[in-house]
Amino acid sequence: MSIKDLLRTAFLGLLHAKTRSLLTILGIVIGIASVILLMSIGKSAEKLILDQVQGVGSNLVFIFPGATKGSRLSSPPSVQGIITKTLVEGDIKELRKEPSIVRISPQVMGQARLVYGNNDLNASYAGVSADYFLIRGFTLASGRGFAESEVLSSSRVAVIGAELAKTLFGEESPINKSVRIKNSSFRVIGVLGPEGIGPFGVDQDNIAIIPITVAQSQLLGVEHYDVILLQANSEYQTDFVRSRITSVLRHTHHVSDPSKDDFTIRAQEELLSLLSSITSILTIFLTSIACISLVVGGIGIMNIMLVSVIERTREIGLRKALGATNRDILKQFLLESVILTFVGGVVGIAIGSLLVVLVYLILANFSASGWAFALPLSAVGIAALVSAGVGVVFGIYPASEASKKSPMEALRYE
Amino acid sequence: MIAVRDLSKDYSGEEAVVHALRDVTFTIERGEFVSIMGPSGSGKSTLLHLLSFLDRPTSGTYLFNGKNVAELSDEDLARMRNKAVGFVFQAFNLLSRSSVYENVEIPLLYSGLPFGERRAYVEAAVVSVGLGSKIRTEAGRLSGGEKQRVAIARALVNNPDILFADEPTGNLDSASGLQVMKILESLNKEGRTVILVTHEVNTAKFAKRMLKIRDGRLESDEKIAIHINELKERLK
């Protein structure tokens, strides 16, 4: 029997039980639509998270004070609130000599009351060097960042976040105004554009950035750094840069035994791959849940096809009497279930895609988090393959039952 | 054309083995019109199933055109059912939601005839049973007599050697039944072998030879000396 005839026969068989065919398809439609929707939400979430990490800058490497026990991925002690004073000015001087490092900035963090006129609020401040603005890729809404000379001369200048500027200065221009941080007054020389939440959960829109020299000596009274940020030369592999930093720091810290390292290096790239593997797992998890509904839909198909085979026993007998081989019957019934799941798949893909667009429109309009539209082709492809596969898997048993019927018994069946 | 020797068929029933057919022996030549007569349960339907390749005998030999049917595979039997024989059933066995055309086309689907060549065969067969005007009608909407004529068209479409008719008038009123029998009769006159299973004497008399079956055994095998229609014509 030719493919065309098989298709026509199978289609006619399904058309003669329209309502039942449509209801059966519904299970597959729901399954496939949810697979599409969940895969795409997973992808969008992944994009959102990775974009935020990449928004911090590119080729970033963080050096934290103190050693980290366990794997590369466990958190360094400084993140857990333990103060370690091992990173100091000498380290920066040596690291600057490394050709694999393009820019470097130490950083200290603190909290303080900021006052301008009658307005005041508690905010974070970061003491950094001039390179910091370039490393983080900050764009300034107005004014300028500070220069290395201002860092070296301990100038009391500040660059403030967009929200902070609005809270303290309202509609006024903050540039060249004087703001008090703790008990010192700083001249505002720049305002950041909107940056959102940065690394370590710091709100970049509510921060004051000041020269590290001032932060260390006048506000905090410390000599160590909380973290060193550096931007690696993109021509070098992350692992190479990491090994260079390690050997420089071991030298300056006089460490010869690797197990006694008193610093922790974290590369942005590693964070990215970690996050993307987490989000992939999330996507797979969501998709597997959707697949359960697909399996349920498949069992529905099997159930309906078994009923159909019993109901059409006489038809099967007749076809066999008229010359259909077992294989012809098998193909016909298998094709019927594949058509059901294929049509269900196509409709499911269409409905799923519509839902994806709907979710995008809702999230993009009502939340400013930067939700990205993602309808991965792989999801569509997987959905199409899976739906046809479900047809074969759940159709083979009813079809083989149909093909095994003896023509004579089948003709006698009432 | 058909030669059976010691043909037997047993069914394993719920309590004991049922000997549906026991040691039946006869031959049928090309062009014959044979009726197989017997009360219900006599084994005549079993015999028809065996002769028409729907079932295999428990023992005995069946030679069809000199070929031993026992040596044929299931696929070969399907091909024989498709090409060598045509069926007319008591219950018509049409796909009621499909059109007359689609019903008659079924044997051609399985014979592998290309789509383009089928149309002419289907139309010729439908016209030959006088239903040319209803070729696109859904089979379920036809009268009983029309349904049986569609079934005959379907049986003829592959131009088979033998036509098997299993109680073809059983579900019909006498006028439609007569019409169907006349079609079978004229097909036989054109040279086609017709084997008819019935328990009605009047229907059986259309044939030229009668095999009587009782309790699974061949009771008698006799020529119907003067064919009933010939008798009618002589009386005119």
Side-chain angles (χ1 to χ4, degrees):
Chain A
M1 210 173 170
S2 72
I3 287 288
K4 204 171 141 192
D5 291 330
L6 266 172
L7 275 172
R8 198 165 67 106
T9 308
F11 257 116
L12 285 176
L14 292 171
L15 277 181
H16 291 162
K18 254 179 237 139
T19 317
R20 190 163 72 186
S21 302
L22 285 178
L23 287 174
T24 315
I25 284 173
L26 202 59
I28 298 297
V29 169
I30 291 168
I32 291 292
S34 28
V35 167
I36 294 270
L37 182 63
L38 291 180
M39 277 184 87
S40 121
I41 285 178
K43 261 277 173 289
S44 292
E46 183 177 337
K47 242 176 123 178
L48 183 69
I49 292 167
L50 295 185
D51 280 355
Q52 286 196 345
V53 174
Q54 275 164 332
V56 172
S58 58
N59 297 316
L60 292 193
V61 177
F62 300 86
I63 306 167
F64 296 96
T68 303
K69 297 278 180 287
S71 77
R72 277 185 167 194
L73 300 174
S74 46
S75 56
S78 60
V79 173
Q80 298 165 8
I82 299 162
I83 295 165
T84 318
K85 301 184 175 177
T86 51
L87 293 180
V88 290
E89 201 181 350
D91 298 328
I92 299 285
K93 279 191 176 135
E94 288 304 312
L95 286 170
R96 277 195 207 282
K97 294 176 187 163
E98 273 304 313
S100 59
I101 296 168
V102 184
R103 295 188 181 91
I104 186 161
S105 169
Q107 184 178 350
V108 289
M109 296 293 297
Q111 292 270 333
R113 175 164 290 267
L114 274 67
V115 184
Y116 172 75
N118 292 326
N119 298 333
D120 70 325
L121 82 163
N122 266 317
S124 301
Y125 61 88
V128 296
S129 70
D131 269 353
Y132 184 76
F133 297 96
L134 289 171
I135 293 172
R136 293 294 310 275
F138 281 156
T139 50
L140 286 135
S142 60
R144 60 176 178 88
F146 43 78
E148 197 56 30
S149 58
E150 287 169 307
V151 176
L152 292 173
S153 63
S154 299
S155 301
R156 289 210 295 263
V157 290
V159 174
I160 60 177
E163 279 292 316
L164 186 62
K166 209 177 268 175
T167 316
L168 284 181
F169 296 94
E171 295 302 306
E172 276 181 66
S173 164
I175 304 297
N176 286 327
K177 301 268 162 52
S178 180
V179 63
R180 266 179 26 167
I181 303 176
K182 242 175 173 174
N183 292 318
S184 311
S185 92
F186 288 77
R187 184 163 60 94
V188 178
I189 57 168
V191 178
L192 296 176
E195 296 287 342
I197 307 292
F200 324 120
V202 177
D203 182 356
Q204 308 292 322
D205 294 337
N206 272 305
I207 198 170
I209 300 169
I210 55 177
I212 185 143
T213 44
V214 183
Q216 277 184 311
S217 60
Q218 297 180 25
L219 298 184
L220 293 163
V222 296
E223 297 207 321
H224 67 268
Y225 303 132
D226 291 340
V227 62
I228 295 172
L229 268 81
L230 55 86
Q231 189 169 26
N233 189 331
S234 59
E235 285 164 27
Y236 294 88
Q237 298 276 320
T238 310
D239 280 343
F240 175 75
V241 178
R242 171 189 284 278
S243 74
R244 288 306 308 148
I245 295 168
T246 307
S247 76
V248 168
L249 290 181
R250 278 186 191 148
H251 179 71
T252 56
H253 293 186
H254 310 292
V255 175
S256 50
D257 178 2
S259 69
K260 297 221 167 83
D261 278 352
D262 55 1
F263 53 88
T264 301
I265 300 166
R266 289 277 179 275
Q268 183 189 25
E269 205 173 290
E270 292 159 0
L271 185 64
L272 281 175
S273 71
L274 173 69
L275 283 175
S276 91
S277 72
I278 290 172
T279 51
S280 303
I281 288 166
L282 194 77
T283 305
I284 290 168
F285 174 70
L286 288 174
T287 311
S288 351
I289 291 174
C291 283
I292 292 173
S293 62
L294 211 53
V295 170
V296 173
I299 291 169
I301 296 244
M302 179 150 74
N303 193 9
I304 291 299
M305 288 309 294
L306 280 173
V307 171
S308 169
V309 165
I310 289 167
E311 229 182 52
R312 288 155 72 190
T313 296
R314 277 186 86 86
E315 179 193 329
I316 295 165
L318 171 74
R319 287 184 183 278
K320 285 196 163 182
L322 297 182
T325 58
N326 291 358
R327 193 177 293 222
D328 286 328
I329 299 294
L330 183 87
K331 281 190 207 155
Q332 179 190 338
F333 279 84
L334 192 56
L335 206 60
E336 282 190 18
S337 28
V338 172
I339 288 173
L340 284 178
T341 55
F342 180 76
V343 172
V346 170
V347 175
I349 288 170
I351 290 178
S353 310
L354 270 176
L355 288 176
V356 170
V357 172
L358 209 67
V359 166
Y360 167 72
L361 289 178
I362 290 170
L363 287 181
N365 282 335
F366 297 105
S367 102
S369 57
W371 186 258
F373 180 78
L375 181 58
L377 272 182
S378 61
V380 175
I382 287 171
L385 277 181
V386 164
S387 65
V390 164
V392 174
V393 169
F394 291 98
I396 196 94
Y397 174 64
S400 92
E401 286 297 295
S403 75
K404 277 188 244 159
K405 284 189 186 292
S406 130
M408 193 191 40
E409 299 278 339
L411 278 173
R412 236 189 251 148
Y413 184 86
E414 293 298 333
Chain B
M1 176 174 237
I2 288 177
V4 296
R5 173 174 289 277
D6 300 330
L7 208 60
S8 296
K9 179 71 186 179
D10 300 336
Y11 292 110
S12 39
E14 279 171 21
E15 286 167 10
V17 176
V18 179
H19 303 286
L21 211 59
R22 304 182 211 204
D23 302 325
V24 174
T25 303
F26 60 85
T27 58
I28 294 172
E29 298 305 323
R30 190 175 292 273
E32 277 197 90
F33 191 166
V34 182
S35 67
I36 300 173
M37 269 279 291
S40 60
S42 60
K44 59 184 191 302
S45 287
T46 304
L47 179 59
L48 179 89
H49 291 149
L50 293 178
L51 293 181
S52 60
F53 318 110
L54 285 170
D55 205 358
R56 290 174 185 276
T58 312
S59 65
T61 54
Y62 171 17
L63 299 180
F64 182 83
N65 283 339
K67 242 184 278 173
N68 190 349
V69 174
E71 290 165 5
L72 299 176
S73 68
D74 283 352
E75 295 227 338
D76 291 331
L77 291 187
R79 204 170 303 125
M80 298 281 272
R81 290 197 292 271
N82 184 242
K83 299 232 158 103
V85 304
F87 290 96
V88 179
F89 305 95
Q90 177 176 3
F92 321 130
N93 283 325
L94 300 179
L95 303 181
S96 58
R97 308 283 303 266
S98 297
S99 70
V100 169
Y101 184 97
E102 284 158 2
N103 269 288
V104 176
E105 191 187 22
I106 295 173
L108 297 179
L109 294 180
Y110 297 113
S111 73
L113 198 69
F115 182 79
E117 291 170 41
R118 276 184 233 144
R119 190 180 192 89
Y121 286 95
V122 174
E123 282 173 355
V126 175
V127 168
S128 77
V129 294
L131 287 172
S133 61
K134 299 202 167 174
I135 196 159
R136 292 292 163 196
T137 309
E138 216 174 77
R141 293 171 190 246
L142 299 175
S143 72
E146 287 170 332
K147 281 181 184 165
Q148 199 58 300
R149 278 146 68 195
V150 174
I152 292 174
R154 183 179 64 192
L156 291 175
V157 76
N158 257 352
N159 193 26
D161 298 332
I162 307 187
L163 204 61
F164 287 100
D166 188 359
E167 304 275 13
T169 60
N171 284 12
L172 299 178
D173 59 77
S174 51
S176 309
L178 187 66
Q179 204 176 11
V180 164
M181 288 316 298
K182 282 198 166 151
I183 293 176
L184 292 181
E185 191 179 40
S186 68
L187 286 169
N188 174 245
K189 275 193 182 139
E190 288 162 15
R192 215 175 294 268
T193 316
V194 178
I195 297 178
L196 171 74
V197 165
T198 183
H199 65 277
E200 290 172 53
V201 181
N202 287 335
T203 307
K205 277 181 179 164
F206 277 85
K208 292 171 186 163
R209 179 182 165 195
M210 195 187 292
L211 300 175
K212 277 193 181 159
I213 306 278
R214 186 178 288 275
D215 297 331
R217 294 181 193 281
L218 187 61
E219 197 180 52
S220 69
D221 177 356
E222 55 199 45
K223 287 235 151 61
I224 299 174
I226 301 171
H227 194 250
I228 189 158
N229 282 9
E230 287 170 24
L231 191 67
K232 275 187 202 159
E233 275 166 29
R234 276 185 213 176
L235 288 174
K236 269 180 195 168

